[in-house]
Amino acid sequence: MDDDWQPIDTAPKDGTVVWLYVAGTTCGWTDPGMHLPPFHCQAAYHPDAGWCVDELREATHWRPLPPPPKESADDR
């Protein structure tokens, strides 16, 4: 499923919620050598603010959300 990741510039900007990838980085402005790990999150593009995922980093890739689990008799 890793091949489903697409460059962020191809992500929908119509309010569709997608799964985003934000790369890890070394941040030196608060603590020299402080490492910020990569993470995934759900978000939708906002025309005034873009992809609001982290004030220090930008999302680099996206993919569609998977379908929800199928409802079973136990879930009802």
Side-chain angles (χ1 to χ4, degrees):
M1 199 132 168
D2 286 339
D3 58 355
D4 291 345
W5 289 107
Q6 301 172 50
I8 195 64
D9 61 343
T10 65
K13 295 184 176 177
D14 61 0
T16 301
V17 176
V18 297
W19 196 245
L20 297 177
Y21 174 77
V22 178
T25 188
T26 298
C27 179
W29 66 270
T30 57
D31 179 10
M34 182 176 98
H35 180 72
L36 300 173
F39 68 90
H40 301 108
C41 67
Q42 294 179 35
Y45 184 85
H46 189 279
D48 294 331
W51 300 102
C52 298
V53 295
D54 185 328
E55 63 189 35
L56 302 175
R57 297 175 282 172
E58 298 287 328
T60 61
H61 291 80
W62 76 281
R63 68 198 291 172
L65 291 177
K70 292 183 181 178
E71 190 174 306
S72 69
D74 294 335
D75 295 332
R76 295 183 202 148

